[in-house]
Amino acid sequence: MKTIRLREGKERSLLRRHPWVFEGSIAKGGGDAGETVRVEAHDGQFLAWAAFSPHSQIRVRAWSFDEAERIDEAFFARRLQRAVALRARLGIVSDAMRLVHGEADGLPGLVVDRYGDTLSVQFLSTGSERWRELIVRQLLAATGLSRLYERSDTSVRKLEGLDQRTGWLAGEGATELAITEHGLSLGLDVALGHKTGYYLDQRDNRQRFAALVRQLGCQRVLNCYSYTGGFSVAALAGGARQVTSVDSSGPALEQARRNLQRNGFDPGPHGFADADVNQYLRQALAEGTSFDAIVLDPPKFAASAAHAERAARAYKDINRLALKLLSPGGLLLTFSCSGGISADLFHKIVAGAGHDAGVDAAIVQRLEAAPDHPTTINFPEGEYLKGLALIRS
Ligand code: SAH
């Protein structure tokens, strides 16, 4: 067993069960890509069993802080069963959910989403990559499913020195399927969709949006960064009369159109704009349009805290425009999925946007990712999605 010795004082984060060790904290030792290593403090005290990643700044990701635990197939079986069992207890009103949320489930670098009878999986680190075959086997055993599609085509794999890879690892057949989320039917494609196919983290916020649209009687709705129209379908289910979905992806908008149809809504009267949201908002403002409800769910503007400042300006800009476009009494649901932007900072950015827009608004709810995307107390980096529901005065 290879050993990694940390520099003096660098053991603190592992002692607090934070699973990462950065390159600069290591005094000596190494291993092959994904190899299990023993991590110890400068004085030789055991800290963790971990996966070694020779190319990444995150050089070590801990599997276990228990010296007696062995990292083998039974270990992965236990962790996967625990993750699946947690979701079963959460009472999620959908046949689609995140079953494994990486570090938060004690499985760094592994993301597993379930869409009906199909699992869609990302191996994001050398550690999860190294154990890929038996993880697949144990996932099928833990879920009783037989279809598993790999979506390891994300850029973070480059940081780990890993190539992109996609395809069936178990089962075969159509990659286009449908899920039912809070009673609404949504089509998606695990091969062609973003990430693993869909944005499951917004499930409960889409339902909340439907309820608020109904409660407030919102008629004209603008769904910005709509992807496949999850919030659009929710708005229609909430009684909205006219919904415009804006996204820069043509295929996503096509799916959005089909998703309206799946739920019995004629897409005819609704808008599907293949456009840059910022430009769309500026144009709408120039034309004097207004909306009773707007959703802003942009992609990650800040990859890390280092990009927070530029990202903050971008968030402020779209929020200022959206607040101006709201009719009095209108509803804004605004989100950031940037890990580098804290909930506090996001709140300040949106407040600044309101100030610049000359608009007063009441924050009526703070929003976060659905509970199948948990955060653990030892890993604050896992907290990425934050949102606000505002009502314009
Ligand atoms: N709200 C969606 C998820 C949004 S993900 C849901 O509930 O499923 C972010 C989306 O923003 C992606 O679909 C991406 O295609 C789109 N996007 C990224 N940059 C954009 C831009 N500048 N203008 C419009 N859409 C953009």
Side-chain angles (χ1 to χ4, degrees):
M1 178 65 62
K2 293 183 185 157
T3 296
I4 304 292
R5 174 74 61 99
L6 300 190
R7 294 181 196 284
E8 193 168 353
K10 295 297 184 184
E11 67 281 359
R12 271 186 232 124
S13 88
L14 282 180
L15 284 173
R16 282 203 304 265
R17 297 187 161 234
H18 186 289
W20 293 352
V21 176
F22 287 90
E23 182 191 359
S25 300
I26 295 175
K28 62 175 188 195
D32 297 333
E35 188 175 358
T36 302
V37 292
R38 177 192 156 95
V39 187
E40 55 186 42
H42 73 284
D43 59 0
Q45 180 200 352
F46 171 87
L47 295 170
W49 300 115
F52 191 74
S53 188
H55 300 289
S56 171
Q57 280 191 14
I58 306 173
R59 198 53 55 94
V60 159
R61 286 180 175 79
W63 291 125
S64 171
F65 300 97
D66 175 0
E67 191 166 9
E69 189 153 43
R70 281 185 49 190
I71 309 306
D72 54 13
E73 184 152 3
F75 164 81
F76 287 99
R78 283 194 301 277
R79 288 279 161 101
L80 292 168
Q81 284 161 11
R82 186 178 80 184
V84 170
L86 172 66
R87 275 56 178 194
R89 296 174 63 204
L90 287 172
I92 294 164
V93 190
S94 178
D95 58 356
M97 65 195 72
R98 175 147 300 186
L99 290 179
V100 179
H101 191 45
E103 278 75 356
D105 285 298
L107 291 165
L110 181 67
V111 167
V112 181
D113 287 336
R114 174 184 183 155
Y115 298 110
D117 69 354
T118 303
L119 297 170
S120 184
V121 181
Q122 295 179 315
F123 297 92
L124 304 172
S125 65
T126 54
S128 60
E129 174 82 6
R130 176 105 170 190
W131 297 95
R132 176 165 161 265
E133 241 174 77
L134 66 83
I135 286 174
V136 168
R137 183 160 61 232
Q138 291 302 332
L139 260 173
L140 298 173
T143 57
L145 299 178
S146 56
R147 278 164 44 99
L148 189 149
Y149 197 86
E150 177 174 19
R151 283 300 303 270
S152 298
D153 55 340
T154 147
S155 60
V156 297
R157 274 176 65 99
K158 275 196 212 119
L159 305 175
E160 296 279 316
L162 299 169
D163 292 336
Q164 317 258 312
R165 200 178 43 223
T166 60
W168 288 110
L169 294 182
E172 57 183 1
T175 55
E176 208 177 337
L177 37 111
I179 59 164
T180 307
E181 171 183 289
H182 290 301
L184 297 173
S185 175
L186 296 153
L188 60 97
D189 194 313
V190 289
L192 305 175
H194 294 179
K195 303 204 293 184
T196 65
Y198 190 52
Y199 293 88
L200 292 168
D201 50 0
Q202 291 283 27
R203 176 194 316 110
D204 294 351
N205 296 328
R206 287 186 283 261
Q207 186 200 28
R208 186 74 191 118
F209 185 57
L212 282 167
V213 162
R214 178 168 300 286
Q215 180 66 29
L216 300 169
C218 303
Q219 294 294 308
R220 294 155 304 156
V221 174
L222 181 64
N223 180 10
C224 297
Y225 309 96
S226 67
Y227 189 48
T228 53
F231 279 102
S232 306
V233 174
L236 290 168
R241 196 161 38 84
Q242 211 279 333
V243 179
T244 300
S245 308
V246 187
D247 203 281
S248 56
S249 158
L253 289 169
E254 280 313 307
Q255 183 69 263
R257 201 184 281 273
R258 290 196 293 277
N259 280 339
L260 262 60
Q261 274 164 336
R262 297 190 75 87
N263 294 280
F265 302 111
D266 172 13
H270 303 292
F272 300 88
D274 188 342
D276 170 69
V277 162
N278 198 300
Q279 278 171 20
Y280 185 92
L281 294 174
R282 280 170 203 281
Q283 175 135 10
L285 204 56
E287 288 167 0
T289 320
S290 71
F291 297 93
D292 304 322
I294 300 178
V295 178
L296 289 177
D297 184 21
K300 208 194 290 178
F301 284 167
S304 70
H307 304 99
E309 206 171 306
R310 202 179 40 184
R313 279 198 295 277
Y315 284 119
K316 189 173 173 187
D317 213 27
I318 55 171
N319 279 281
R320 176 179 58 80
L321 294 164
L323 282 165
K324 280 190 161 188
L325 282 167
L326 272 188
S327 53
L331 169 71
L332 173 64
L333 244 63
T334 179
F335 297 95
S336 161
C337 62
S338 300
I341 305 268
S342 68
D344 245 21
L345 175 57
F346 187 58
H347 188 158
K348 288 196 184 96
I349 292 168
V350 176
H355 182 80
D356 286 5
V359 163
D360 247 344
I363 295 173
V364 292
Q365 198 172 354
R366 289 174 170 74
L367 304 162
E368 58 190 3
D372 48 332
H373 299 62
T375 334
T376 43
I377 43 186
N378 55 329
F379 186 63
E381 289 88 342
E383 200 176 324
Y384 65 105
L385 183 67
K386 67 278 309 178
L388 297 168
L390 299 109
I391 296 183
R392 184 182 165 160
S393 304

